[in-house]
Amino acid sequence: QVYLRESGGGLVQSGGSLRLSCGVSGMNFRLHPMNWYRQTPGNQREFVAGIFANGSTNYAEAVKDRFTISRDNVWTTVTLQMNSLRPDDTAVYYCNSRYRGNQVWGQGTQVTVSS
């Protein structure tokens, strides 16, 4: 069974920073791309950032130059460092991967940015 567990969400003022972490178990972590998505009420989940097994990264335009995704293949974690946060970054953030053809999701962590 594959488990993804996010942590690190919370309330922060506009312009502040938060660091989200996702611990992964049950799969050969180093072989799999990892992603962060976010979702606001009434909207679909949207891609935020991704990191491939080789360490290359990609970002949604809205977060480019503010967010940084990284991975630790020893501790099997993926991290999202979020800087210069804005109220429109408020959302539930989900860790995501793909395992044996299926999407795998964490339970999500709430990020709230106050103006």
Side-chain angles (χ1 to χ4, degrees):
Q1 187 81 11
V2 177
Y3 291 102
L4 280 60
R5 179 167 293 180
E6 303 93 340
S7 61
L11 173 65
V12 64
Q13 287 189 331
S14 182
S17 298
L18 279 176
R19 187 178 180 89
L20 305 183
S21 291
C22 175
V24 180
S25 62
M27 67 179 188
N28 194 340
F29 178 81
R30 66 178 64 245
L31 300 180
H32 294 268
M34 299 297 303
N35 305 297
W36 286 96
Y37 283 73
R38 64 188 182 187
Q39 187 173 24
T40 53
N43 295 305
Q44 289 187 333
R45 288 182 190 181
E46 63 173 8
F47 173 81
V48 174
I51 185 165
F52 292 94
N54 65 3
S56 61
T57 59
N58 60 324
Y59 297 91
E61 197 63 35
V63 307
K64 203 172 288 186
D65 299 326
R66 299 188 298 122
F67 290 11
T68 302
I69 189 171
S70 60
R71 65 189 297 154
D72 186 326
N73 288 339
V74 174
W75 292 103
T76 65
T77 58
V78 58
T79 299
L80 186 68
Q81 176 66 42
M82 306 186 294
N83 299 328
S84 302
L85 283 162
R86 311 185 302 221
D88 61 1
D89 293 317
T90 295
V92 178
Y93 283 71
Y94 295 92
C95 184
N96 162 268
S97 190
R98 192 173 180 87
Y99 181 70
R100 292 184 177 177
N102 298 312
Q103 296 286 345
V104 184
W105 299 93
Q107 82 286 352
T109 186
Q110 176 70 46
V111 171
T112 303
V113 185
S114 63
S115 57

